[in-house]
Amino acid sequence: MIAKGKVVKLAYSLKNSKGETIDVADSKDPFLYLHGAKEVVPGLEKALEGMKKGDKKSVTVAPKDGYGEINPELKIEVTRSQFPQNVELKSGMQFETHTQDGYGMIFTVESVTGEKVLINGNHPLAGETLHFEVEVLEIRAATQEEADHGHAHDGTHNH
Ligand code: ZN
């Protein structure tokens, strides 16, 4: 049964409310995670708790239990001159910046209008209701190393 400290192998599909597929993992390329280690969004982790191998489920996750609500304060207008001259700014491009606390934050360029650049620091899936179809392929106990690292190892990497 899926519980804290178990490594779970999943097949899943993720769609947004418009029915567009955002992400897929199938049995050939499954998704592996350590349950209870915040590797998946809270709403999905909660729904997976107690499921058994072979179980399937449809899970709808509200934004607050997914990637959060859209924070309007993270939509910021800056000027072209705040970017390096040699960078060609296009909507959709992403860049990383650091807060005063040193945390890395990914911003997406929303639009470029003359000297004005609108950037957005929200997660691309913020504000989205997430629709998962999950199937539990395998459940095993975490190794000591996985428990220490706080994530699942897929056998192809060691660190
Ligand atoms: Zn590791």
Side-chain angles (χ1 to χ4, degrees):
M1 227 163 61
I2 297 179
K4 190 172 164 55
K6 294 287 172 77
V7 169
V8 183
K9 196 181 271 188
L10 286 182
Y12 75 91
S13 71
L14 168 59
K15 289 181 178 170
N16 62 18
S17 291
K18 290 178 206 152
E20 297 163 340
T21 301
I22 296 165
D23 202 5
V24 167
D26 61 17
S27 54
K28 283 182 202 137
D29 189 17
F31 174 72
L32 203 66
Y33 81 98
L34 174 60
H35 196 81
K38 298 188 169 74
E39 285 204 89
V40 297
V41 294
L44 180 60
E45 190 159 72
K46 202 173 164 191
L48 287 164
E49 182 97 27
M51 285 180 74
K52 298 180 187 75
K53 184 178 174 174
D55 284 355
K56 294 180 184 180
K57 204 183 219 178
S58 299
V59 182
T60 300
V61 177
K64 68 174 174 59
D65 298 317
Y67 291 97
E69 302 286 355
I70 291 170
N71 180 355
E73 287 179 18
L74 291 177
K75 291 187 177 183
I76 305 165
E77 194 178 278
V78 296
T79 62
R80 179 70 185 83
S81 59
Q82 288 176 259
F83 292 88
Q85 279 285 318
N86 59 347
V87 172
E88 196 195 338
L89 292 175
K90 282 189 202 140
S91 66
M93 70 183 277
Q94 293 187 318
F95 60 94
E96 189 174 6
T97 186
H98 293 271
T99 64
Q100 285 173 340
D101 308 325
Y103 289 104
M105 266 190 86
I106 305 286
F107 277 87
T108 305
V109 175
E110 297 260 292
S111 64
V112 184
T113 315
E115 279 299 294
K116 288 177 190 166
V117 182
L118 187 65
I119 60 172
N120 184 355
N122 287 286
H123 188 281
L125 292 176
E128 291 275 9
T129 297
L130 309 170
H131 301 271
F132 290 96
E133 295 289 335
V134 298
E135 179 181 357
V136 181
L137 301 176
E138 208 179 292
I139 305 167
R140 63 168 168 84
T143 64
Q144 188 58 50
E145 194 181 45
E146 286 171 325
D148 290 346
H149 288 192
H151 55 230
H153 287 165
D154 64 8
T156 60
H157 78 275
N158 279 299
H159 61 146

